[in-house]
Amino acid sequence: MDTAQRSGCPINLTLEMLGDRWSLIIIRDLMFGNRRHFRELLTQSEEGIASNILADRLRRLTESGLLSRRDDPSHKQKGIYSLTEPSIQLVPLLAQMGAWGRRHTQASEELSIRAELLEEGGPAMWTAFMEELRALHLGAPVPERSVFAELQAAYLAVVAKNARAE
């Protein structure tokens, strides 16, 4: 066991890897927002992460094997971040966290519609989403179903409905 770890408990080890709020937010934004560049992650996150914290978390997540980074062929100083298989396998955990948050917090309608759909869709939808993420991030074959498109369409529909109501 690594001496830096507090214990070998799998929950503890998971929290040591993912336990700070920003790590899961970054994975969420890559997963549900397909934000793949530093600038997108910095400017398009609702939570307003500071650039130094973002850089640190991207480095940590890459070092821990949850993200990979490759050079952007269009710009040598930019990198493209991708989810790895271990982070793709976080879909059920994030779906459950979203479901819990919808029940026990005052989440906004716009930002909880994806969680609602994932909860209703259950493991079958999670599996389909993970297949799509493997295609987007790991180069696997593209599945017929696009859960990402379904989630995005539902989000945009709620945003449009709420804009009309204002």
Side-chain angles (χ1 to χ4, degrees), residues 21-92:
R21 117 183 231 213
W22 294 114
S23 293
L24 284 175
I25 296 298
I26 291 165
I27 290 171
R28 177 207 66 191
D29 287 352
L30 274 131
M31 187 177 287
F32 295 101
N34 200 30
R35 298 174 186 147
R36 309 284 295 275
H37 293 89
F38 182 91
R39 180 75 41 210
E40 293 172 325
L41 290 162
L42 182 66
T43 62
Q44 295 177 20
S45 180
E46 289 84 1
E47 292 79 16
I49 188 169
S51 62
N52 62 324
I53 294 173
L54 175 59
D56 178 68
R57 293 319 183 278
L58 287 169
R59 180 189 51 76
R60 282 195 217 174
L61 290 167
T62 301
E63 287 174 357
S64 68
L66 291 169
L67 298 181
S68 64
R69 183 191 185 280
R70 65 181 167 86
D71 290 336
D72 186 334
S74 70
H75 193 284
K76 294 204 186 280
Q77 292 180 325
K78 289 184 180 180
I80 299 172
Y81 291 92
S82 295
L83 299 170
T84 60
E85 183 60 30
S87 57
I88 289 170
Q89 290 181 19
L90 289 170
V91 166

Side-chain angles (χ1 to χ4, degrees), residues 89-154:
Q89 290 181 19
L90 289 170
V91 166
L93 175 67
L94 291 175
Q96 291 293 337
M97 287 178 71
W100 186 93
R102 284 184 55 247
R103 287 191 299 276
H104 300 289
T105 69
Q106 295 181 1
S108 71
E109 183 182 14
E110 298 94 13
L111 297 178
S112 54
I113 187 64
R114 293 179 187 110
E116 181 180 342
L117 293 178
L118 285 167
E119 182 178 13
E120 291 171 357
M125 186 178 218
W126 307 343
T127 298
F129 190 39
M130 289 188 290
E131 288 176 16
E132 185 174 11
L133 289 170
R134 288 182 187 105
L136 287 168
H137 293 268
L138 304 177
V142 178
E144 288 184 33
R145 181 181 183 187
S146 176
V147 174
F148 183 83
E150 293 171 31
L151 297 174
Q152 187 65 8

